[in-house]
């Protein structure tokens, strides 16, 4: 048994952590069945000296083991090693990793905030109307720099930097690091992230030049859709804070920090905005330098970046370039994505203007731009002459197509590349099956996650919005955890959710709070309760649950205080209902009260986990459930409203008397069947649709919905070329064309929440109700529909889990993998429990409602049985 996948604070070898008591994790792999860790020992070293030794601890724990060694020091690398023992008592293996602390104390910072001095900077001609991508001539980014001289290179060099805005640091003319759009977006007035870069290899003896370009970004650029506040939500102009820490062989240290000695001069980027685009005049010659202004001597609410940054994670080549007129071309990348275009320009003379516009879809062969609303999504480049490469760095767009105007000659497909941007969450899930349309659905879900996990979990990447809507995130989060390790990403965003909570306990609709400063709607505000619990169940993240609990409880108490009758009817915020449902109108009070019950139940469960008194919340949940049944459930099992979502909420949240469950399932099934196996659910209901059907014995209907390709369905959009999940079922239809351009995204992950069902029911990877972080697996593959095989893998917090099945006539084959330290309950869907074989040998199997149940330790197994 060998440990692997070592992480500190759920990251691999993180540079510049801010936690004073970081948590260490590892996984194990083994070729031997039944392997399990029984003990571990952790040692940590600094410069070869052991500073922490746990000794041998008799424990099978591998997740988030807290540091209980000496107090961590700033700017220090800790090398740690874990040794494990298995169930035989033998030392099974060891592995090592490291983490490095950032600036842990306020006194570690000597840098001051610097920015543009409008008096000292020589006048600069503002961009013309044609040049600038939005009407704000003061928006030219800062080009900041200072030089310093060294007698010898350092043995270690770290740059700690952040900005009001977004920034790109440089050292001696080379970009520092691979971060994009740093420092990201948080509730800036509560937390501003700084980044840590290892620049040891970029510092040299002699004269060095430390610099940065700083653009408006989320700080003072366009975010959201409020025309009365088009920009400058947090401040009026960008600023920069940084310090370079240099350590030398003789033990001395030198710090180069932002201060009044830095300078600014105009550069080739004439304007840059996340929504509007970027304008670059490559031939623009920098004017004379001017001193910067010191804007603030207090660093503010700085925190170390706790998760993986935004990076360029993939390149997508053009699949077609078609000319539409003199110097004008439409480029198809074959995939709706989020990022920017890298364009090679060959042999152009100086002053040649090239304009790129971006769109998700075409209409009559041209870009469809109406759904971008105010977002211009336009990048402009004026050539310097010769062979050049243009790639904007302070903007991003949602697009499959790009229009290039003014290109000299004809661009080859190899000259145009889309560069994909998102927070670099490690992708850990894989799903495959025999149906290409279902595989395309899964691919669409994954691409939607990539495109909308940019700084925060956004609603859409293309139009003038890009807000962190809470309901979108909570319905999709179970699917997101299947596809990738989003533990650190979502835990960091939850701090924004908690920071946005108002004094009365109400979460908001969006986080960070911007544009919509009001109480969160039902299912929206509840994300502040649901997601911390999900992180606990999926990753064993007790710390996030602990830090969130008071806010979770305050939200439930807020609803209770305003709704003494326990029906959630008195709302001081909005109520969106089952957003974008089709041909249905789920009563908003039914939806709201169901979520009230669900949040109360989760808070009670969380209280038990944390060793707190759960009784008040258990009592409240029981009272809400009783009130819901009395108010909304009929004697025949009918739920008020009669919609699919109404039944899904009642069934999925256990809000029905046991004797009425079958009747409610019947009503739900009848509604689906009378519509020709079509759904009516919106954002909220769709996440429950297929799981609830499968849990109540109607996987046949779940599969019918999966394979449906008539409107409304997932298959309908795929049949019409979708490569991401659409915002609306009717984003485009044969009978109606495009939906209203006022709200019509073609990359919006919410309706992709079916991904959780693909992993959990089609392939069969799940965990038992009392399990945490996949300690006890529930493997229950469910063949159905027109599939002949399906399989999935997940690199869980405890190791690799796999489950798959195939049919060959009446022979069912099931393959599973259980990681060391986990056990599994495998439910084999067979009509004859006596037919179950493992690697050809009979195995004892318990008859069950789903066929046969086998209990497994760790290892890889192949079973055969007679299918249903």
């Amino acid at each position: 048994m060998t440990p692997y996948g070592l992480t500190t604070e759920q990251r691999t070898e993180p540079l510049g952590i801010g936690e004073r008591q970081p948590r260490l994790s590892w996984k194990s792999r083994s070729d031997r069945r039944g392997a399990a860790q029984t003990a571990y020992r952790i040692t940590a070293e600094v410069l070869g000296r052991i500073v922490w030794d746990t000794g041998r601890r008799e424990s099978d724990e591998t997740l988030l083991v807290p540091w209980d060694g000496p107090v961590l020091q700033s700017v220090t690398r800790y090398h740690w090693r874990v040794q494990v023992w298995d169930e035989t008592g033998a030392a099974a293996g060891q592995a090592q990793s490291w983490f490095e602390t950032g600036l842990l104390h306020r006194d570690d910072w000597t840098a001051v905030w610097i920015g543009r001095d409008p008096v000292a900077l020589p006048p600069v001609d503002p961009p013309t109307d044609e040049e600038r991508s939005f009407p704000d001539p003061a928006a030219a980014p800062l080009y900041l720099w200072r030089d310093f001289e060294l007698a010898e290179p350092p043995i270690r060099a770290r740059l700690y930097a952040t900005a009001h805005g977004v920034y790109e640091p440089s050292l001696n003319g080379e970009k520092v690091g691979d971060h994009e759009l740093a420092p990201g977006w948080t509730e800036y007035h509560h937390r501003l992230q700084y980044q840590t870069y290892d620049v040891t290899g970029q510092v040299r003896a002699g004269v060095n030049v430390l610099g940065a370009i700083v653009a408006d970004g989320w700080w003072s650029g366009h975010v959201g859709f409020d025309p009365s506040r088009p920009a400058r939500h947090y401040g009026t102009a960008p600023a920069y804070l940084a310090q370079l820490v240099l350590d030398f062989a003789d033990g001395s240290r030198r710090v180069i920090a932002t201060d009044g000695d830095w300078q600014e001069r105009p550069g080739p980027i004439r304007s840059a905005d996340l929504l509007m685009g970027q304008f670059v005049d490559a031939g623009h010659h920098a004017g004379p330098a001017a001193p910067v202004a010191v804007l603030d001597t207090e660093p503010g609410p700085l925190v170390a970046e706790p998760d993986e940054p935004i990076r360029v994670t993939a390149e997508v080549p053009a699949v077609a370039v078609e000319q539409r007129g003199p110097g004008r071309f439409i480029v198809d990348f074959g995939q709706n994505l989020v990022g920017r275009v890298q364009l090679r320009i060959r042999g152009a003379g100086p002053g040649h203007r090239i304009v790129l516009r971006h769109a998700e879809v075409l209409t009559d062969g041209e870009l469809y731009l109406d759904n971008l609303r105010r977002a211009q999504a336009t990048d402009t480049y004026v050539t310097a002459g010769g062979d050049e490469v243009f790639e904007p760095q302070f903007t991003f767009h949602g697009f499959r197509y790009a229009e290039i105007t003014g290109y000299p000659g004809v661009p080859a497909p190899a000259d145009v590349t889309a560069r994909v941007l998102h927070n670099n969450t490690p992708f850990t899930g894989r799903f495959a099956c025999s149906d290409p349309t279902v595989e395309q659905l899964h691919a669409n879900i994954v691409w939607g996650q990539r495109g909308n996990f940019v700084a925060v979990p956004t609603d859409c990447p293309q139009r003038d919005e890009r807000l962190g809507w809470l309901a979108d995130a909570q319905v999709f989060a179970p699917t997101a955890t299947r596809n990738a390790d989003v533990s650190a990403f979502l835990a960091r965003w939850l701090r924004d959710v908690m920071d946005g909570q108002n004094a009365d306990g109400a979460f908001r609709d969006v986080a960070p709070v911007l544009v919509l400063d009001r109480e969160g709607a039902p299912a929206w505000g509840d994300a502040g309760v649901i997601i911390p619990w999900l992180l606990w169940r999926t990753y064993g993240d007790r710390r996030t649950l602990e830090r969130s609990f008071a806010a979770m409880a305050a939200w439930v108490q807020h609803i209770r205080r305003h709704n003494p009758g326990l029906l959630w009817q008195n709302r001081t915020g909005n109520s969106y209902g089952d957003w974008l449902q089709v041909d249905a109108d789920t009563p908003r009070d039914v939806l709201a009260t169901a979520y009230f019950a669900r949040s109360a139940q989760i808070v009670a469960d969380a209280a038990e986990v944390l060793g707190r008194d759960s009784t008040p919340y258990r009592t409240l949940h029981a009272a809400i459930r009783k009130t819901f049944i009395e108010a909304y459930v009929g004697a025949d099992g009918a739920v008020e409203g009669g919609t699919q979502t109404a039944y899904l909420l009642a069934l999925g949240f256990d809000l029905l008397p046991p004797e009425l469950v079958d009747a409610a399932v019947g009503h739900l099934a009848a509604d689906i069947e009378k519509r020709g196996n079509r759904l009516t659910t919106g954002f909220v209901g769709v996440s429950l649709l297929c799981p609830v059907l499968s849990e109540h014995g109607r996987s046949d209907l779940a599969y019918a919905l999966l394979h449906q390709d008539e409107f409304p369905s997932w298959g309908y959009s795929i049949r019409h070329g979708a490569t991401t999940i659409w915002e609306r079922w009717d984003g485009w239809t044969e009978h109606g064309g495009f939906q209203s351009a006022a709200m019509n995204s073609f990359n919006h992950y919410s309706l992709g929440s079916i991904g959780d069902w693909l992993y959990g029911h089609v392939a069969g990877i799940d965990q038992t109700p009392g399990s945490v972080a996949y300690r006890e697996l529930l493997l229950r593959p469910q063949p159905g529909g027109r599939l002949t095989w399906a399989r999935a893998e997940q690199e869980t917090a405890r190791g690799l889990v796999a489950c798959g099945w195939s049919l060959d006539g009446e022979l069912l084959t099931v393959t599973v993998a259980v990681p060391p330290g986990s056990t599994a309950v495998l439910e084999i869907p067979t009509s004859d429990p006596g037919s179950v074989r493992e690697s050809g040998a009979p195995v004892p199997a318990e008859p069950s409602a789903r066929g046969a149940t086998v209990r497994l330790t760790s290892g890889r197994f192949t079973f055969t049985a007679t299918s249903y």
Side-chain angles (χ1 to χ4, degrees):
M1 189 172 68
T2 305
Y4 75 101
L6 279 64
T7 62
T8 304
E9 282 301 304
Q10 301 168 305
R11 299 175 65 191
T12 302
E13 298 182 344
L15 185 68
I17 68 169
E19 284 287 352
R20 310 295 180 87
Q21 192 180 24
R23 299 163 299 170
L24 312 180
S25 302
W26 60 94
K27 308 172 188 179
S28 293
R29 60 167 63 98
S30 176
D31 294 330
R32 190 181 72 256
R33 290 183 178 178
Q37 173 188 300
T38 57
Y40 71 84
R41 177 189 180 190
I42 299 173
T43 56
E45 299 179 357
V46 175
L47 298 176
R49 180 175 61 87
I50 294 179
V51 297
W52 182 40
D53 187 342
T54 66
R56 175 169 167 156
R57 291 179 175 176
E58 303 300 319
S59 171
D60 63 356
E61 190 54 79
T62 64
L63 293 183
L64 302 172
V65 176
W67 175 278
D68 60 7
V71 174
L72 298 181
Q73 303 300 307
S74 294
V75 195
T76 301
R77 178 164 294 192
Y78 293 80
H79 293 266
W80 64 279
R81 180 188 304 269
V82 62
Q83 182 180 14
V84 300
W85 286 262
D86 65 20
E87 75 287 354
T88 69
Q94 56 185 328
Q96 59 186 352
S97 184
W98 59 263
F99 64 88
E100 186 171 306
T101 54
L103 303 178
L104 300 179
H105 310 286
R106 163 63 183 85
D107 293 344
D108 293 332
W109 286 95
T110 60
V112 298
W113 284 98
I114 61 173
R116 176 166 297 144
D117 186 339
V119 176
L121 189 70
V124 178
D125 293 335
T128 66
D129 287 341
E130 185 180 17
E131 289 176 334
R132 61 177 171 248
S133 56
F134 56 99
D136 188 351
L142 302 170
Y143 278 78
L144 306 169
W145 63 277
R146 68 152 295 174
D147 57 24
F148 60 95
E149 190 167 356
L150 299 176
E152 60 178 339
I155 60 171
R156 190 175 83 156
R158 298 290 185 268
L159 176 65
Y160 304 92
T162 189
H164 292 159
V166 290
Y167 73 97
E168 181 181 285
S170 63
L171 190 52
N172 295 323
E174 296 181 351
K175 178 183 174 180
V176 168
D178 60 359
H179 296 47
E180 304 288 346
L181 304 176
W185 185 20
T186 54
E187 282 282 3
Y188 290 137
H189 299 310
H190 291 270
R191 291 174 302 105
L192 177 61
Q193 298 177 160
Y194 71 86
Q195 287 68 45
T196 303
Y197 306 91
D198 183 348
V199 294
T200 306
Q202 291 179 259
V203 183
R204 61 197 180 206
V207 176
N208 293 263
V209 179
L210 180 62
I213 310 171
V214 190
D216 285 322
W218 291 275
W219 179 266
S220 49
H222 288 77
V223 186
F225 47 70
D226 184 355
S228 66
R229 296 181 63 191
R232 299 179 176 176
H233 292 281
Y234 299 97
T236 59
Y240 188 55
L241 180 83
Q243 61 190 56
L244 177 64
V245 178
L246 307 171
D247 291 326
F248 296 92
D250 63 1
S252 62
R253 172 173 288 178
R254 183 178 175 188
V255 177
I256 310 294
T258 48
D259 56 22
D261 292 336
W262 284 58
Q263 299 185 72
E264 181 197 4
R265 60 161 53 100
I269 303 177
R270 304 282 279 146
S271 65
D273 185 85
L274 295 175
L275 283 170
M276 302 303 180
Q278 184 165 317
F279 180 92
V280 177
D281 184 351
H284 178 78
H285 297 290
V292 298
V294 173
L295 304 177
D296 197 343
T297 59
E298 286 296 319
L302 298 184
V303 296
E305 185 172 56
D307 61 322
E308 292 302 308
I310 300 168
R311 292 189 174 103
V312 173
T313 63
E315 293 187 346
V316 178
V319 298
V321 179
E322 296 186 8
Q323 190 159 5
R324 288 288 192 269
R328 191 170 73 87
F329 305 87
I330 299 292
V331 181
D332 180 6
F333 294 99
Q335 173 64 54
N336 197 11
L337 55 87
V338 175
R340 61 210 185 198
V341 170
Q342 183 186 82
L343 179 65
R344 293 190 173 276
I345 305 157
R346 306 179 189 275
H352 200 89
R353 187 185 309 278
I354 301 170
V355 178
L356 288 85
R357 299 193 300 166
H358 306 76
E360 297 181 295
V361 293
L362 301 179
T363 178
D364 297 326
E366 299 291 344
L367 300 186
Y368 178 69
L369 300 170
D370 292 352
N371 70 326
L372 303 185
R373 301 192 306 213
R374 293 184 308 123
Q376 295 182 17
T378 300
D379 299 325
T380 303
Y381 186 74
V382 180
T383 60
D387 291 348
E388 303 170 65
V389 176
F390 170 49
E391 181 181 349
Q393 66 264 56
F394 296 123
T395 190
F396 66 95
H397 313 294
F399 64 100
R400 172 176 171 170
Y401 301 94
E403 177 196 71
I404 305 174
T405 303
Y407 189 88
V410 177
D415 294 328
V416 193
T417 302
R419 304 252 286 165
V420 178
L421 286 174
H422 59 86
N423 279 81
N424 195 21
T425 56
F427 278 82
T428 53
R430 291 164 294 280
F431 173 86
C433 69
S434 59
D435 188 331
T437 299
V438 177
E439 288 195 324
Q440 184 64 56
L441 170 60
H442 178 255
N444 291 5
I445 292 167
V446 172
W447 276 101
Q449 180 169 334
R450 283 194 182 102
N452 284 291
F453 276 29
V454 180
V456 302
T458 60
D459 57 328
C460 58
Q462 71 298 104
R463 67 181 179 231
D464 59 339
E465 192 162 348
R466 293 178 179 168
L467 299 177
W469 287 93
L470 270 65
D472 305 47
Q474 67 95 350
V475 298
F476 185 73
T479 296
T481 66
R482 302 285 197 168
N483 294 329
D485 182 351
V486 295
S487 53
F489 176 83
L490 287 178
R492 186 258 303 161
W493 178 66
L494 277 174
R495 299 184 190 181
D496 298 319
V497 174
M498 304 304 152
D499 288 341
Q501 190 174 40
N502 70 19
D504 196 49
F507 293 122
R508 311 302 183 89
D509 283 337
V510 298
V513 177
L514 204 67
V515 179
L516 299 167
D517 188 6
R518 62 191 181 209
E519 175 185 324
W524 272 251
D526 295 283
V529 173
I530 293 168
I531 295 178
W533 182 248
L534 175 72
L535 297 186
W536 161 248
R537 288 290 321 282
T538 305
Y539 301 110
D541 188 354
R542 182 187 177 98
R543 178 180 288 175
T544 294
L545 188 67
E546 180 79 49
R547 290 175 174 176
S548 304
F549 183 79
M552 296 163 62
W555 167 250
V556 170
Q557 292 160 2
H558 163 80
I559 303 169
R560 174 70 178 88
R561 194 160 47 248
H562 291 278
N563 297 274
L566 302 185
L567 299 178
W568 190 358
Q569 298 170 327
N570 181 19
R571 295 181 291 275
T572 57
N574 206 343
S575 180
Y576 305 106
D578 190 19
W579 188 244
L580 298 180
Q581 59 195 321
V582 288
D583 195 27
D585 187 11
T586 302
R588 297 189 178 194
D589 292 353
V590 171
L591 184 149
T593 304
Y595 264 91
F596 183 18
R598 180 64 180 140
S599 285
Q601 182 182 43
I602 289 174
V603 171
D605 291 342
E608 287 192 1
V609 168
L610 299 173
R612 307 188 184 196
D613 183 8
S614 65
T615 304
Y617 301 102
R618 290 274 177 239
T619 302
L620 176 60
H621 170 256
I624 300 168
R625 183 177 185 273
K626 179 175 182 292
T627 304
F628 181 96
I629 292 170
E630 291 172 350
Y632 300 134
V633 180
D636 61 350
V639 178
E640 185 164 321
T643 66
Q644 293 174 18
T645 293
Y647 287 108
L648 292 167
L649 291 165
L651 290 163
F653 293 171
D654 187 23
L655 299 175
L656 293 167
E659 66 273 14
L660 295 182
V661 167
D662 288 345
V665 172
H667 292 310
L668 170 62
D671 188 88
I672 295 170
E673 289 168 341
K674 79 178 183 182
R675 299 172 186 274
N677 294 336
R678 290 177 174 84
L679 53 77
T680 64
T681 50
F683 277 23
V684 176
V686 73
S687 63
L688 298 169
L689 180 57
C690 289
V692 165
L693 287 170
S694 288
E695 290 292 342
H696 290 88
R698 295 308 307 265
S699 283
D700 60 321
L701 271 184
Y703 270 106
L705 293 167
L706 176 69
H707 293 310
Q708 177 66 263
D709 67 357
E710 297 295 331
F711 170 79
S713 66
W714 296 281
Y716 185 80
S717 64
I718 293 170
R719 184 157 62 87
H720 291 285
T723 60
T724 44
I725 299 296
W726 292 357
E727 178 178 21
R728 319 177 71 125
W729 299 113
D730 58 349
W732 182 92
T733 61
E734 295 162 298
H735 57 272
F738 288 108
Q739 246 286 359
S740 168
M743 193 184 69
N744 196 19
S745 163
F746 292 95
N747 189 352
H748 209 107
Y749 54 59
S750 300
L751 298 180
S753 57
I754 188 179
D756 183 49
W757 178 79
L758 295 177
Y759 281 92
H761 289 83
V762 175
I765 297 176
D766 207 340
Q767 58 180 331
T768 58
S771 171
V772 174
Y774 294 92
R775 169 75 80 177
E776 184 179 54
L777 303 172
L778 178 57
L779 305 176
R780 46 179 177 175
Q782 295 178 16
R786 57 175 179 251
L787 300 187
T788 58
W789 61 268
R791 61 175 177 265
E793 292 182 348
Q794 266 186 263
E795 188 66 53
T796 71
R798 299 190 190 275
L800 182 67
V801 176
C803 190
W805 58 268
S806 63
L807 287 171
D808 184 3
E810 294 185 353
L811 180 66
L812 170 70
T813 301
V814 176
T815 58
V816 301
V818 180
S822 291
T823 59
V825 177
L826 170 64
E827 296 183 350
I828 300 174
T830 176
S831 59
D832 180 8
S835 69
V836 175
R837 301 288 186 274
E838 198 282 305
S839 298
V843 295
E846 303 170 15
S848 66
R850 296 178 184 269
T853 298
V854 180
R855 298 187 180 276
L856 303 174
T857 59
S858 64
R860 291 182 174 272
F861 305 85
T862 299
F863 294 89
T864 57
T866 303
S867 68
Y868 270 119

